[in-house]
Amino acid sequence: MPGQAPTKGVRVYAAGIVSNTISVVDVTTRKLVATVDAGTNPYGIARTPDGSKLYITNSGASNVSVLDTAKGRIVTAVTVGLYPHGIAVSPDGAYAYVADTGPDGPGGSDTVSVIHTRTDKVTATWHTGLNPRAVAVSPDGRTLYVACADGLFVVDTGQGAVRSRLPGQARAGGLAVHPDGSRVYVADTWENTLTVIDARSRRVRAQLRVGRNPWQVTPSPDGTRVFVTGANDDTVTAVDTDRLRVFGTVRVGHVPTGITVAGDTVWVATNASSTVDAVDAKSFTLLGSTPLGLATSPSGLVVA
């Protein structure tokens, strides 16, 4: 079904880093309804607030594809820095922030590309830490958090300048901001922990043991729980954000990476199983898996 427009309704979009496609899954039937041709090695994916456009980092092409969800196809591609991975859209939908991950080591990338979503052009390039991998924006749009090889960088989006750096959060796999902006959640891939950081003081509030090699993290819309994928033990861990303790763990497909929440469902991309798995957010049980086809290898995903 390459290039086929998706059916109407709310859908899950998963970036297939090996298949070079975006898989489209109906959230009600949990069936694969379309496969859209994308760029080379699509990795991260983010949506505008109204869901009309998706921005997809193509790590093998050093650009970002723009998918028009009404047309069901890629409408343009924006050249950014080398090997982009993480991406986030500002709460007002005006900008997309791209982590230009680049090659590892000294001399690699240290930039975030800023795309204006009205023109789909890069309007700024900000210098952060080495090899930025993941990005997350505060609810007021004023702060961008960037996970880099040498720490977590806090960037003022008005100035494009680094406010502070937390070197203890180096080489994090994923980031998320609490819905009220009070906390930042960091998936510490090398430490097998979820770090909870106070957004105002920049101090660590808690470090919780989660699954092995935590990869991505996302809060529930009401902020009462946060969910983390364990890429090396095939789990999703739920954390109670009030008590700051693990609520439960559920087993999913092999090598879970991307994760997002829509309504009462947690959606998980499993890289090695090539599925999108659905988990009930309340009972925290696996509802089912949607096969995307062999060698799809989904990474990021989003609901729009």
Side-chain angles (χ1 to χ4, degrees), residues 1 4-13 22-27 29-36 290-292:
M1 291 184 289
Q4 178 180 332
T7 57
K8 293 182 179 179
V10 179
R11 300 167 291 271
V12 180
Y13 296 82
I22 304 299
S23 298
V24 187
V25 175
D26 183 276
V27 300
T29 64
R30 298 202 299 272
K31 291 184 177 180
L32 179 68
V33 295
T35 305
V36 179
T290 303
L292 306 182

Side-chain angles (χ1 to χ4, degrees), residues 122-282:
V122 172
T123 57
T125 302
W126 299 337
H127 289 275
T128 58
L130 184 63
N131 304 126
R133 182 185 182 91
V135 288
V137 194
S138 63
D140 62 9
R142 296 178 180 178
T143 305
L144 180 71
Y145 299 93
V146 187
C148 301
D150 49 351
L152 177 65
F153 285 70
V154 184
V155 178
D156 182 328
T157 59
Q159 302 287 331
V162 173
R163 289 178 183 167
S164 59
R165 171 190 166 220
L166 285 68
Q169 306 305 314
R171 303 188 70 84
L175 296 175
V177 182
H178 195 83
D180 65 6
S182 63
R183 301 174 184 172
V184 182
Y185 301 104
V186 183
D188 294 318
T189 304
W190 298 97
E191 301 295 333
N192 298 332
T193 58
L194 175 73
T195 299
V196 183
I197 296 172
D198 184 277
R200 182 182 294 272
S201 68
R202 316 275 196 248
R203 295 180 182 274
V204 173
R205 290 196 56 182
Q207 282 187 301
L208 307 173
R209 181 69 60 174
V210 290
R212 291 201 302 270
N213 295 118
W215 203 259
Q216 292 291 338
V217 56
T218 189
S220 60
D222 62 5
T224 59
R225 293 184 187 171
V226 63
F227 304 95
V228 192
T229 52
N232 203 29
D233 63 1
D234 303 337
T235 62
V236 174
T237 300
V239 171
D240 182 319
T241 59
D242 289 331
R243 299 182 180 182
L244 290 179
R245 69 180 187 185
V246 171
F247 167 81
T249 301
V250 64
R251 188 165 295 278
V252 292
H254 194 33
V255 190
T257 51
I259 188 168
T260 191
V261 184
D264 293 330
T265 305
V266 182
W267 298 94
V268 184
T270 70
N271 189 264
S273 294
S274 287
T275 65
V276 167
D277 291 3
V279 175
D280 186 283
K282 292 184 176 180

